[in-house]
Amino acid sequence: MIVIALLFAVLLVTGVPIAMVLGLTGFVHISLFNPGALDIMPQRMLSVINNFTLLAIPLFVLAGELMNSSGVTARLIDFARNFVGHLRGGLGYVNVMVGLFLGAILGSATAEAAIRGSTIAPEMEKKDGYERETAAAITATSSSLGPIFPPSIVFILYAVLANVSIGAMFLAGIFPALLITAVHFIYIYYYARKKGLGKLPLPKFRDFLISFVRALPALLVPVVILGGIFSGYFTATESGAIACLLALIIGIASRNLRLADVPGILIRSGITTAAICIIVATSNILGWSLAFEQVPQKATELFTAISENPLVILPLINLLLLVIGMFLDITAGMLIMVPVLVPVVTALGVDPIHFGLIVSLNLVIGLCTPPVGTVLFITSGIVKVPLHSLVRACIPLIMWMLVVLMIVTYVPEVSLYLPKAFGLIK
Amino acid sequence: MQLLSNWIYRLSLFLIAVLVAVMTGSILLQVFAMNLLNFSFIWSGELAQLCFVWLTFIGASAVYKKSEMIAFDLLLAKVPERYRRWAATFIQVVVIVFSVIFIYYGLEKALSPSVLIQKSTALKMPMIVPYISIPIGMFMLLIHAVADLLKTWTGKEVKAG
């Protein structure tokens, strides 16, 4: 076991791609303890990918890429500006609100950070007088809305790993995402007052209406997707395909999307998907060999030896996940930790849907923390802020995110109310 | 070698585009047939899943070629310039070892009697069709990694990760 842990650590820190780290560690583990079972590896890789539920990942990635090329971002920004732009420091609110809208279209944080970092963040500095690093920090931490507001690639992955309903995960994400929006609004309110940022006049109602109508197709897509899933009309995977079709229609109808762009979009989403799913495939080898050695059971014994009270164990797990999130990407963190931790928490009586939100929030916060924070790197590059000043500006917002994490951890109803109300869980 | 690697990369991009399109199309077909025509194609879901499997393993080689593999590269970035080449070599050798292992076991599995006689439920397709995507994808990965290794020692630039 120590040999395996050492091999894993060495391969990981030397920068070997995580897919290879997991595959090779699994290979060595099986060779040492169970050499007769080596030919199970291809079957483990195939069986986890040959899965109708996981198919939702490429479909939602493609839908996000198509929507993004359909010029919906500009319309959403315009609508949000007419909606909340007149408040003091209005563009900050606009930024977070667009984050929420985009979260309902895109399922990933990096896309959120890249889009808003290049569109709204520079305007926050130029027009509203935000400090550049604050504008970047607000963009970075609110990018967590991408994976927390449904649809979400992270939730799909968790649903497959923990064997729970994607629909229930999607519903469970709505209130926590609104909490994230709320804490960002609170931060912006106080920041704008302290800095004495300007106010814009209230927009004409006519302008508000026009911008609303123009943004309507983009706002309706999530309604169709989520409505379809929750009414049981179609599965999450099917709704991903419908989202692609709607995005294609919107793009062509608004003349922002040319057919010549489509192959490039298909390739980009295929590459994004493969980068995630090859890790899913190889992690299933290590997952199998660890399960064979009963590592999840041992982990459960270890945790329950400390305490059998979820109120004690959950903060410990939060701490563990936050540290892991500081170093690992969401996908890798999830694939390694979820199979081990879900048995632990279910033994303690924690609902796996509730735990899905806890895991996702922890790892999403890790995207905005050094030393490894993908969203941090993207935002710093796009908004052109040195990494260290961005990190400093993120600190108060990370504190607020930790408040959200605490609320979600200790108040299960925040996550579970909607899935229960829709009868997706008991 | 570089030429071969580039040629395989272009081929894989073409395949990726086709696979994503067919996958999305067959799911859409399934939704419409089910809800509008009350008719279900038994094969559409399976075809989509087959595309997804191929996309994952063929796509992985393209992800590597584009240097977009998810990795913990914090320390790698801190390696001093003159050791870069060795750091890159280490990773490339590990990737080569990985791909050789999975070409071997992937082929063994795909050509094993149990897989050869097995047929899928809906398409009646032999199970070698999904399984063979693993060694093919890993073979593409191997070519890219070997090409990178050669470039590391002959070229001026060092590609890390």
Side-chain angles (χ1 to χ4, degrees), chain A residues 126-297:
Chain A
K126 257 178 272 158
K127 293 197 180 149
D128 270 7
Y130 279 80
E131 284 157 314
R132 184 184 288 193
E133 52 268 30
T134 306
I138 291 172
T139 311
T141 53
S142 63
S143 293
S144 51
L145 290 166
I148 300 295
F149 199 80
S152 153
I153 309 293
V154 177
F155 285 177
I156 297 170
L157 201 57
Y158 179 85
V160 170
L161 289 171
N163 201 13
V164 295
S165 137
I166 296 187
M169 277 304 289
F170 278 10
L171 275 174
I174 293 177
F175 282 145
L178 293 177
L179 270 179
I180 294 175
T181 313
V183 295
H184 279 86
F185 278 8
I186 296 174
Y187 175 79
I188 292 166
Y189 176 80
Y190 283 107
Y191 176 87
R193 284 231 321 209
K194 200 174 80 190
K195 297 276 164 184
L197 300 184
K199 264 184 179 180
L200 289 175
L202 209 61
K204 285 197 203 85
F205 187 67
R206 214 180 85 94
D207 293 342
F208 172 77
L209 221 57
I210 292 173
S211 72
F212 175 68
V213 171
R214 280 172 48 85
L216 200 58
L219 295 172
L220 275 179
V221 172
V223 175
V224 173
I225 299 174
L226 299 179
I229 301 177
F230 303 148
S231 62
Y233 225 102
F234 32 77
T235 63
T237 307
E238 290 168 344
S239 75
I242 300 209
C244 292
L245 183 68
L246 291 177
L248 193 66
I249 293 173
I250 293 176
I252 290 174
S254 66
R255 303 212 181 115
N256 281 308
L257 186 72
R258 286 168 306 142
L259 275 178
D261 301 334
V262 173
I265 293 173
L266 291 174
I267 290 172
R268 264 207 307 285
S269 22
I271 298 259
T272 307
T273 305
I276 297 173
C277 290
I278 190 67
I279 308 180
V280 176
T282 58
S283 76
N284 204 35
I285 299 173
L286 184 63
W288 180 83
S289 66
L290 290 182
F292 194 81
E293 265 206 65
Q294 301 198 307
V295 170
Q297 287 89 328

Side-chain angles (χ1 to χ4, degrees), chain A residues 75-86 90 93-95 97-98 101 211 215:
Chain A
R75 291 166 183 226
L76 288 173
I77 294 176
D78 199 35
F79 170 58
R81 185 170 301 176
N82 277 295
F83 198 179
V84 287
H86 61 276
Y93 296 98
V94 171
N95 191 351
M97 191 154 208
V98 171
F101 293 153
S211 72

Side-chain angles (χ1 to χ4, degrees), chain B residues 18-90:
Chain B
V18 173
L19 288 167
V20 174
V22 173
M23 184 174 74
T24 313
S26 57
I27 297 284
L28 275 176
L29 197 66
Q30 171 174 327
V31 181
F32 282 106
M34 190 86 118
N35 290 310
L36 299 178
L37 311 172
N38 257 328
F39 172 80
S40 92
F41 295 104
I42 42 170
W43 49 264
S44 56
E46 209 179 279
L47 178 64
Q49 276 173 236
L50 178 68
C51 291
F52 183 34
V53 168
W54 275 80
L55 172 66
T56 300
F57 295 108
I58 301 288
S61 73
V63 175
Y64 173 81
K65 176 84 178 170
K66 280 189 82 182
S67 307
E68 284 187 12
M69 279 275 177
I70 299 171
F72 177 82
D73 43 15
L74 181 72
L75 294 183
L76 197 65
K78 299 231 159 81
V79 172
E81 198 63 44
R82 58 208 156 107
Y83 299 121
R84 275 287 151 79
R85 184 166 285 191
W86 288 102
T89 305
F90 176 75

Side-chain angles (χ1 to χ4, degrees), chain A residues 14-15 18 20 24 27 38 42-43 46 49-50 52 55 58 62 233 238 241 266-267 271 274 285 327 371-372, chain B residues 13 17 23-24 27-28 30-31 35 49 52-53 56 59 63 70 72 74 90-91 94 98 101-102 105 131 141:
Chain A
T14 45
I18 292 184
M20 282 83 190
L24 283 174
F27 168 76
L38 276 175
Q43 192 232 320
L46 190 75
I49 299 298
N50 200 359
F52 192 72
L55 203 70
L62 176 62
Y233 225 102
E238 290 168 344
L266 291 174
I267 290 172
I271 298 259
I285 299 173
F327 293 96
V372 182
Chain B
L13 291 188
M23 184 174 74
T24 313
I27 297 284
L28 275 176
Q30 171 174 327
V31 181
N35 290 310
Q49 276 173 236
F52 183 34
V53 168
T56 300
V63 175
I70 299 171
F72 177 82
L74 181 72
F90 176 75
I91 294 175
V94 170
F98 173 89
I101 290 173
F102 285 92
Y105 284 100
Y131 268 112
L141 178 67

Side-chain angles (χ1 to χ4, degrees), chain A residues 350-367:
Chain A
V350 177
D351 190 286
I353 300 281
H354 174 208
F355 188 61
L357 261 293
I358 297 178
V359 176
S360 308
L361 264 175
N362 273 303
L363 295 178
V364 160
I365 292 174
L367 290 175

